[in-house]
Amino acid sequence: VVLLSKICPRLNTSNVMDENLIEEEEAMPNLTTIEFNEVDEKECAVCLEEFKDTEKISKLDCDHSYHDDCIQEWFQKDRSCPLCRYQV
C-alpha cells in the first residue's frame, strides 16, 4: 500500500491500511481453545459480554480467557493481554 501511494499520490490509502495495525506477516499468537466449563472469568474483558456455552473461547498463556473473535481483533493492534499486559 505504501508503494502504491508513492506511485499514485492521489490514491486514498487511509481506508486500506491503518499504520497502527501490526504487520500481517507477523504470526498471530498461538491461542488455546477451551470449553465453556473451563473458563475462570465470567465475561470477556474485551467486549464485556458474558461467555456462553456455544461460543469459541480462547485462553492465553497468562490464563486469561476471551471470545476468540474479540482477542483476534485485539491482537491486530496490541500483542499483550488486555488484563495483565502479558506479552504474547
Side-chain angles (χ1 to χ4, degrees), residues 17-23 74-79:
M17 181 179 150
D18 180 347
E19 57 189 51
N20 294 325
L21 291 179
I22 295 174
E23 295 289 330
W74 178 269
F75 284 154
Q76 293 298 315
K77 296 236 181 208
D78 192 336
R79 291 292 174 91

Side-chain angles (χ1 to χ4, degrees), residues 25-36:
E25 292 82 32
E26 292 183 37
M28 289 301 282
N30 288 331
L31 301 172
T32 304
T33 301
I34 60 172
E35 299 294 324
F36 176 75

Side-chain angles (χ1 to χ4, degrees), residues 32-46:
T32 304
T33 301
I34 60 172
E35 299 294 324
F36 176 75
N37 61 348
E38 297 175 283
V39 178
D40 295 329
E41 296 92 358
K42 293 184 184 211
E43 65 183 26
C44 173
V46 176

